[in-house]
Amino acid sequence: MVENYLIIGGDGFVGRWVVEMLIKRGETSITVFDIVQRYFDKEIKHYQGDLSNYDDISDCIEKENITAIIHTASPPHDGKSEGLFWEVNVEGTKNVIEACVKFGVKKLVYTSSSSVVYDGYSELINTDETAPYPEKHMNVYNETKAAGEKLVLEANGRNGLLTCALRPCGIFGPNDRQAIPGFIKVMEQGQTKFQIGNNENFVDWTYVENCAYAHILAVDKLSVENQTAGEAYFITNGTPVPFWDLCRLIWAQFNHYPPYILKFPSSFGFVIASLAELASYITGKEPGFTRFRVRFATTNRYFNINKARNRLGYEPLVDLEEGVKRACQPVLNSLNNN
Amino acid sequence: MEFITSSFYPTEILALIQYKFLRSNNKSKEISSWSERKKRCYQFLEMTSGSFSSIIMELEQEYRDLICMFYLVLRGMDTIEDDMTIPIDKKIPLLRTFHEKISQKDWIFTENGPNEKDRQLLMEFDVVIEEFLLLPKECQDIIIDITKRMGNGMADYIEKTSHDRYSIITIKEFDEYCHYVAGLVGIGINDLFNAVGAKVPSTSKNSKIIISMGLFLQKINIVRDFTEDLNENRKYWPKQIWTKYVEEIDELILPENKISSIYCLSEMILNTLLHVIECLDYLFTVKNGDILIFGFAAKPLIIAYATLALTFKNYNTFAVKNKVKIRKGEAAKLVLQCTDMYEVARLFKEYTKVILKKNNDSLDPNFMQINIACGQVNIQFL
């Protein structure tokens, strides 16, 4: 049976990787739905629309007789518009689900996030999918991703629809606009010599190709005959590393090696961050140094991916070090061309 | 001597005193009832095995004799393999037939060079054979089989060495060599325990992790003993690794190559570190069985892991005289603390921190992979 794929957010970072992997393996029926078109493959049908408009997404699903949906669309987590998070992650996801149920879509794979179990304070040490949602989420983005995930998992079984949610962590890769640029900015600002905390906290990351691969695996595996549907899965590289050492590996790609390291205890970092946030509140400027970032850099945050291994057959295709090299390559190329 | 090197570490002095007291007190009554021949065997064990002897002594008697004899048989064969004064055309047949010698009463070997450290063992090998022949037949057969396979592996290696300048080219060949000289030991020990009804996992189902125990212990010794081996023209580091850093293996000891040598050492450490996960898997399979067998497996592991942490980034590995070795007091402390899985986990985490703290040079090509390997070790203990 030929699957008619719809990649929602298919012109985005993860979505585009999914599309390219499907093309590469010879899929012949791929449709992309996104708010802006960035790629123009002749073999791909493209629908431009707004996920928060039910008719936009339902028209697409009906016309293309979609059988499997990979829903990767989400505003960037560092975006400022809380309303947009609710519109896309919650209302938009409701619209997708309603259209799936109405038009008999068989499979829905949702890009969730590992942050759906993060309260902004606790350590996440080899956390698996039995961890509950926090009573209070760290921010609106996390809250809306969790709400979207719940909707998707609860929709499992409605009119034959099979669903699951994938929870990647720290997605990075070539041309990503959040992870690698952040580390490069630190380098450009001459701040690589500072280290907050003792660098004994381990952090997980997900290289983008591994993330996309997990989505395709999930579509392939979803079936009434196994235990894959109606479940969430953490998807990472499975190789947590000390936080600052990953930073140093990234900087090493640019032949940058901090001349020395100045170490501050995390408590000192929190004080400085609080002052920086107060200053930004007074001046109206965006703070670069925040308590969240201090906590991000100094806490353990890694996940147990055995459920994805056992039920989806997931194994990372690209290891962390190779992923970092590939992720930095486009920036290196552009530097060399200037 | 042991007290001098530990004198700056008071808790180690206490551990060393406690360790020696417990050791001598527990066994003295039992030992007095042994035959002279058996006493001599255990003297050889202590003379030739270093800290392993005390670990063996902690086993129940029925297990202890098996492991002692197995150890002495292999040490005997190793004493032939190690001896560079024995001509190759004589050594190879000896290794290939050593498994037959151990059933021949009164057989001894008197042709080791005068400087071969354990030559006395072979000069009195008839004593070992007598005690070996007292073991249950099934156990004798296990030891004979392992000795045969190991002897052939060693002989193959020597034949290759005589033809090629470097006999260990690839990492795969490195693993094969370590399998013959050490991986098989793990298999043999597990089989012996099984043969006498000890609660240990099936060898056939767990051979990969059992072999990893041997590979890990062997590799850390090979990494640590680089200079000592080089001085005796033994080259065990795989060419596939060192050729990334120097053109000839001897160049690793040249001061101008210090940075490259340390990076090469990092890669050897990484290669060794990758076995630790499987070693810990083996510990997890034995942790609910016989507590003494658990200790028997865990103690060499944690001492080797501490040695790995000490050797990593340690330029003394390439020094002519200085031998990289953990202090006797530290070893005693580790042995005493190796009481259950919780304590072992704590010790492993402690030494993982040491490794990570040293891993601070992002110019080292192995920088991230060592971080990843350490992360995997930590995950085992959650």
Side-chain angles (χ1 to χ4, degrees):
Chain A
M1 166 190 174
V2 176
E3 206 77 85
N4 296 330
Y5 294 93
L6 171 62
I7 316 305
I8 300 176
D11 284 316
F13 182 50
V14 173
R16 180 62 192 175
W17 274 88
V18 171
V19 168
E20 293 193 352
M21 289 182 88
L22 289 173
I23 292 173
K24 185 177 290 184
R25 79 174 196 177
E27 298 292 345
T28 56
S29 179
I30 304 170
T31 303
V32 167
F33 178 97
D34 212 323
I35 193 156
V36 172
Q37 184 170 4
R38 292 195 194 91
Y39 299 91
F40 300 84
D41 323 79
K42 60 185 177 182
E43 64 268 57
I44 307 293
K45 292 170 284 280
H46 192 277
Y47 283 72
Q48 189 167 339
D50 186 340
L51 206 57
S52 58
N53 287 336
Y54 174 78
D55 288 343
D56 287 359
I57 188 65
S58 65
D59 283 353
C60 169
I61 290 171
E62 183 180 21
K63 284 192 174 73
E64 298 302 330
N65 197 28
I66 298 299
T67 59
I69 292 178
I70 295 176
H71 173 10
T72 70
S74 176
H77 65 69
D78 54 0
K80 297 186 181 65
S81 172
E82 295 185 353
L84 189 64
F85 289 144
W86 286 104
E87 283 172 32
V88 177
N89 292 345
V90 180
E91 298 304 321
T93 300
K94 277 184 191 175
N95 291 339
V96 172
I97 292 168
E98 289 308 312
C100 286
V101 172
K102 180 173 181 182
F103 297 111
V105 174
K106 292 306 172 195
K107 301 176 184 181
L108 170 61
V109 176
Y110 172 72
T111 311
S112 180
S113 169
S114 60
S115 64
V116 299
V117 299
Y118 190 44
D119 58 13
Y121 293 90
S122 309
E123 301 232 272
L124 296 169
I125 297 178
N126 213 40
T127 299
D128 68 14
E129 294 83 352
T130 59
Y133 299 120
E135 286 184 15
K136 184 177 170 61
H137 288 276
M138 184 179 78
N139 57 27
V140 173
Y141 172 83
N142 291 359
E143 185 178 2
T144 58
K145 290 304 285 186
E149 180 182 279
K150 281 184 224 173
L151 290 169
V152 168
L153 298 181
E154 285 164 358
N156 185 56
R158 292 179 63 191
N159 194 22
L161 176 65
L162 301 173
T163 70
C164 73
L166 304 185
R167 299 171 169 175
C169 169
I171 307 172
F172 73 100
N175 303 309
D176 89 59
R177 289 179 289 168
Q178 294 180 133
I180 300 296
F183 291 120
I184 291 173
K185 188 176 176 185
V186 172
M187 184 171 62
E188 288 173 344
Q189 293 176 345
Q191 296 169 341
T192 59
K193 56 182 168 294
F194 298 115
Q195 174 182 304
I196 305 169
N198 58 13
N199 197 33
E200 289 180 8
N201 55 305
F202 280 77
V203 177
D204 245 330
W205 302 87
T206 314
Y207 180 66
V208 63
E209 186 174 339
N210 297 331
C211 184
Y213 169 62
H215 284 73
I216 294 172
L217 263 185
V219 171
D220 292 346
K221 294 283 181 174
L222 281 175
S223 164
V224 291
E225 293 161 11
N226 57 32
Q227 291 181 315
T228 52
E231 302 281 338
Y233 299 93
F234 286 112
I235 302 292
T236 74
N237 259 63
T239 53
V241 291
F243 176 80
W244 292 104
D245 285 350
L246 188 90
C247 304
R248 287 169 194 143
L249 178 67
I250 292 170
W251 299 329
Q253 306 311 306
F254 301 96
N255 278 319
H256 176 80
Y257 303 92
Y260 53 90
I261 305 292
L262 287 173
K263 298 177 185 181
F264 299 100
S266 56
S267 53
F268 181 80
F270 278 117
V271 171
I272 299 299
S274 297
L275 293 175
E277 288 175 45
L278 176 60
S280 76
Y281 177 77
I282 293 172
T283 63
K285 287 185 173 181
E286 177 72 17
F289 196 72
T290 65
R291 282 170 293 172
F292 166 70
R293 287 192 176 144
V294 171
R295 196 169 285 116
F296 187 83
T298 57
T299 52
N300 285 292
R301 191 174 47 263
Y302 59 100
F303 302 93
N304 185 319
I305 58 173
N306 282 342
K307 186 176 173 184
R309 285 188 161 117
N310 294 332
R311 300 202 203 182
L312 301 181
Y314 169 76
E315 282 295 340
L317 299 177
V318 178
D319 89 6
L320 185 66
E321 184 167 21
E322 177 63 22
V324 165
K325 289 175 181 174
R326 295 186 191 185
C328 293
Q329 198 59 50
V331 185
L332 284 167
N333 289 345
S334 67
L335 289 174
N336 290 337
N337 290 336
N338 291 343
Chain B
M1 178 59 184
E2 297 149 1
F3 287 95
I4 294 173
T5 59
S6 293
S7 61
F8 301 108
Y9 301 88
T11 58
E12 288 184 9
I13 294 179
L14 292 175
L16 201 52
I17 293 169
Q18 182 183 353
Y19 179 68
K20 286 181 176 295
F21 175 79
L22 284 176
R23 185 171 134 185
S24 60
N25 192 56
N26 287 350
K27 302 299 176 186
S28 58
K29 286 180 183 175
E30 187 189 336
I31 291 171
S32 64
S33 68
W34 289 352
S35 68
E36 289 304 310
R37 194 175 55 226
K38 183 163 170 175
K39 285 179 188 175
R40 188 59 176 156
C41 285
Y42 276 90
Q43 281 175 352
F44 278 130
L45 178 69
E46 189 162 356
M47 285 164 51
T48 64
S49 77
S51 61
F52 192 56
S53 165
S54 55
I55 293 172
I56 292 177
M57 289 304 292
E58 290 181 26
L59 290 169
E60 290 98 332
Q61 181 248 313
E62 62 172 328
Y63 304 151
R64 192 172 65 230
D65 289 349
L66 297 178
I67 305 304
C68 177
M69 293 309 136
F70 187 35
Y71 180 87
L72 292 177
V73 165
L74 297 182
R75 173 59 68 193
M77 184 163 66
D78 188 59
T79 302
I80 292 175
E81 194 253 356
D82 256 4
D83 191 334
M84 306 305 263
T85 70
I86 300 176
I88 287 175
D89 59 354
K90 186 178 184 73
K91 182 184 286 191
I92 288 175
L94 273 169
L95 293 172
R96 295 202 189 276
T97 60
F98 196 85
H99 67 286
E100 295 165 0
K101 301 287 191 285
I102 62 182
S103 299
Q104 292 175 23
K105 288 196 175 187
D106 300 324
W107 183 83
I108 61 172
F109 185 75
T110 59
E111 297 172 49
N112 279 116
N115 296 323
E116 189 58 37
K117 185 162 68 78
D118 298 322
R119 64 196 296 268
Q120 190 63 30
L121 171 64
L122 286 179
M123 290 177 68
E124 298 181 44
F125 209 67
D126 54 328
V127 173
V128 173
I129 292 172
E130 284 287 342
E131 287 297 306
F132 168 76
L133 292 173
L134 293 180
L135 299 178
K137 181 64 162 60
E138 186 182 358
C139 297
Q140 291 182 38
D141 290 344
I142 289 166
I143 292 174
I144 288 171
D145 176 62
I146 295 294
T147 304
K148 178 179 181 183
R149 290 156 69 185
M150 185 180 292
N152 280 321
M154 286 174 166
D156 292 345
Y157 167 79
I158 289 172
E159 275 179 350
K160 193 176 179 189
T161 302
S162 63
H163 295 315
D164 302 320
R165 188 170 176 192
Y166 299 105
S167 54
I168 297 182
I169 306 295
T170 66
I171 290 170
K172 183 170 179 288
E173 284 165 347
F174 184 43
D175 281 8
E176 279 168 358
Y177 172 75
C178 292
H179 171 68
Y180 281 122
V181 301
L184 286 174
V185 178
I187 294 288
I189 288 174
N190 204 71
D191 277 340
L192 289 171
F193 283 149
N194 259 309
V196 292
K199 194 176 165 187
V200 293
S202 152
T203 301
S204 57
K205 288 178 183 171
N206 296 278
S207 60
K208 191 164 187 289
I209 60 176
I210 292 168
I211 288 168
S212 265
M213 297 276 288
L215 265 62
F216 174 62
L217 297 172
Q218 180 67 16
K219 286 187 174 186
I220 193 55
N221 285 341
I222 283 174
V223 174
R224 184 197 64 188
D225 293 342
F226 174 78
T227 305
E228 179 184 325
D229 287 334
L230 189 69
N231 289 339
E232 299 184 30
N233 206 36
R234 290 194 290 259
K235 300 160 185 172
Y236 298 122
W237 288 24
K239 186 176 183 184
Q240 182 181 335
I241 287 180
W242 56 256
T243 193
K244 298 178 192 174
Y245 303 97
V246 288
E247 288 179 19
E248 294 295 342
I249 192 170
D250 328 45
E251 291 170 11
L252 287 169
I253 63 174
L254 299 180
E256 58 263 35
N257 291 330
K258 177 175 181 179
I259 291 177
S260 294
S261 299
I262 289 177
Y263 291 166
C264 184
L265 175 60
S266 288
E267 185 160 352
M268 290 300 300
I269 290 286
L270 172 62
N271 182 269
T272 305
L273 193 50
L274 294 175
H275 296 290
V276 172
I277 304 304
E278 285 179 331
C279 294
L280 297 174
D281 283 342
Y282 183 75
L283 281 193
F284 281 110
T285 66
V286 298
K287 74 179 167 74
N288 293 321
D290 188 310
I291 189 66
L292 294 182
I293 289 181
F294 171 80
F296 175 74
K299 287 162 188 173
L301 272 192
I302 192 57
I303 290 173
Y305 197 60
T307 303
L308 184 147
L310 175 65
T311 306
F312 179 52
K313 297 286 183 179
N314 191 338
Y315 192 58
N316 281 332
T317 307
F318 302 103
V320 176
K321 285 186 176 178
N322 196 344
K323 184 166 184 177
V324 175
K325 199 168 188 179
I326 63 172
R327 300 175 302 278
K328 284 275 172 50
E330 185 176 3
K333 194 169 161 188
L334 292 174
V335 165
L336 288 170
Q337 289 175 355
C338 241
T339 54
D340 57 44
M341 199 68 213
Y342 178 82
E343 285 301 314
V344 171
R346 189 182 57 76
L347 293 170
F348 266 91
K349 285 182 188 177
E350 197 173 296
Y351 284 103
T352 301
K353 279 189 181 183
V354 172
I355 296 166
L356 285 169
K357 196 129 284 185
K358 291 185 176 186
N359 193 38
N360 59 12
D361 179 1
S362 49
L363 273 159
D364 187 333
N366 309 285
F367 172 70
M368 184 51 55
Q369 292 301 318
I370 287 171
N371 274 322
I372 288 172
C374 288
Q376 298 301 297
V377 171
N378 274 356
I379 287 176
Q380 305 310 303
F381 295 119
L382 295 169

